[in-house]
Amino acid sequence: MNSFCLRGQRKLESVTGGGAWRSGLVAASTLSLVFSLPVCAQQADRVTPIVVQPGAPGQPTRTLPTTTRATLPPRSAADVQFMQGMIMHHAQAVEMTALIESHTENKNLRLLGARISHSQSEEIRFMKRWLEARGEPTEMSMPKMSGMDMPGMDMSTMNMKGPMLMPGMLTPKQMEALGKAKAAEFDRLFLTGMIQHHNGALIMVKDLFDTAGAGQDAVLFNFTTDIDSGQRAEIRIMQNMLREKPSEEKQ
């Protein structure tokens, strides 16, 4: 706020504190100050922000030009392929959880499925936004994969008539068996299949960080480490559920 606005504010305070005999002066002064307030607000809105860059340890900060704009951190081809592949990977997990409602009455499995479906659907949306913000497609194209040299790729899961499967993804035959199973058999196939699926995601994360220059983006790094810890925790839950045979005891 400039000196004119400050003086106007003080004047308004002093005028409104007077007696009744000043009513005419109060009215006139108040109106003039009210009309000047938008000018003060506009002037405040036009204040140029100061962009400061912290210095290295022991070094002073540096004021940057007002034209400075934030830029996204660099990404590698492996970062992009990881996000594209994980979208495909998560999509199958969501497809698996969609079968639960009509294939089992197991309450514990239903709760687990709802948790997996929600978390992986949210992560799919995040990964798509990450790719779109960087001008990258959200789907992995076959020409990019033609070398068959992507880290962690399991050639035994290749389906030459359909999309390539990422590590741990269930084959069409496994998905068909899951879709036909009911009750206890469905529970067993779902848990073993999702453990396989989650282990594949862990492989993808490891391969990303084993790739030189990949995983340097702080946002991607935090996201992938969250995937790793979250899926390890869910694997332990599913292993316990298999040992407890929940379909036979807790239907």
Side-chain angles (χ1 to χ4, degrees):
M1 186 178 293
N2 60 24
S3 59
F4 168 78
C5 296
L6 288 172
R7 289 197 302 273
Q9 183 178 0
R10 296 192 188 102
K11 183 177 180 182
L12 178 59
E13 292 170 351
S14 63
V15 167
T16 55
W21 64 273
R22 294 181 181 175
S23 58
L25 179 59
V26 168
S29 299
T30 302
L31 285 174
S32 64
L33 289 171
V34 166
F35 286 123
S36 71
L37 289 179
V39 175
C40 297
Q42 291 171 9
Q43 291 173 348
D45 289 341
R46 289 198 295 268
V47 173
T48 303
I50 299 175
V51 183
V52 177
Q53 181 183 50
Q59 299 297 320
T61 58
R62 185 165 64 96
T63 301
L64 301 179
T66 57
T67 55
T68 302
R69 294 291 181 271
T71 58
L72 291 171
R75 79 278 189 185
S76 69
D79 292 341
V80 173
Q81 290 181 0
F82 172 84
M83 294 298 242
Q84 292 169 337
M86 194 61 81
I87 288 173
M88 184 195 310
H89 198 271
H90 276 26
Q92 189 185 67
V94 174
E95 182 183 353
M96 292 170 66
T97 60
L99 297 171
I100 291 177
E101 184 176 358
S102 58
H103 286 64
T104 183
E105 296 297 326
N106 187 320
K107 294 180 180 179
N108 288 339
L109 193 65
R110 285 186 170 212
L111 288 172
L112 175 67
R115 167 180 167 174
I116 293 173
S117 178
H118 175 75
S119 63
Q120 302 217 4
S121 294
E122 288 296 312
E123 289 171 3
I124 287 173
R125 284 189 279 271
F126 168 81
M127 290 186 284
K128 286 183 176 180
R129 289 195 302 269
W130 188 93
L131 289 164
E132 289 165 354
R134 290 156 179 79
E136 298 288 350
T138 58
E139 295 183 0
M140 187 176 291
S141 60
M142 289 305 293
K144 186 183 289 186
M145 302 289 291
S146 60
M148 308 304 178
D149 57 354
M150 185 174 179
M153 188 58 60
D154 183 358
M155 296 300 292
S156 66
T157 64
M158 283 292 297
N159 177 9
M160 300 310 293
K161 296 182 180 180
M164 181 174 293
L165 300 180
M166 306 308 295
M169 287 182 67
L170 274 62
T171 64
K173 185 176 180 179
Q174 286 178 298
M175 286 296 293
E176 182 181 2
L178 182 64
K180 291 179 178 179
K182 294 284 185 179
E185 179 63 10
F186 174 84
D187 295 356
R188 183 185 67 80
L189 289 178
F190 178 89
L191 291 169
T192 55
M194 193 60 80
I195 289 172
Q196 168 190 319
H197 205 271
H198 277 26
N199 277 320
L202 299 182
I203 291 172
M204 292 172 68
V205 171
K206 181 180 183 300
D207 288 337
L208 175 70
F209 290 126
D210 285 347
T211 302
Q216 302 302 307
D217 180 331
V219 173
L220 183 143
F221 177 84
N222 291 335
F223 174 69
T224 50
T225 51
D226 284 346
I227 287 179
D228 188 272
S229 60
Q231 302 219 352
R232 286 182 189 277
E234 288 176 354
I235 287 173
R236 290 192 292 270
I237 291 171
M238 291 186 286
Q239 289 171 336
N240 289 333
M241 291 175 71
L242 279 172
R243 283 193 290 267
E244 294 171 2
K245 299 181 179 179
S247 294
E248 296 177 8
E249 300 173 5
K250 300 180 181 180
Q251 289 285 2

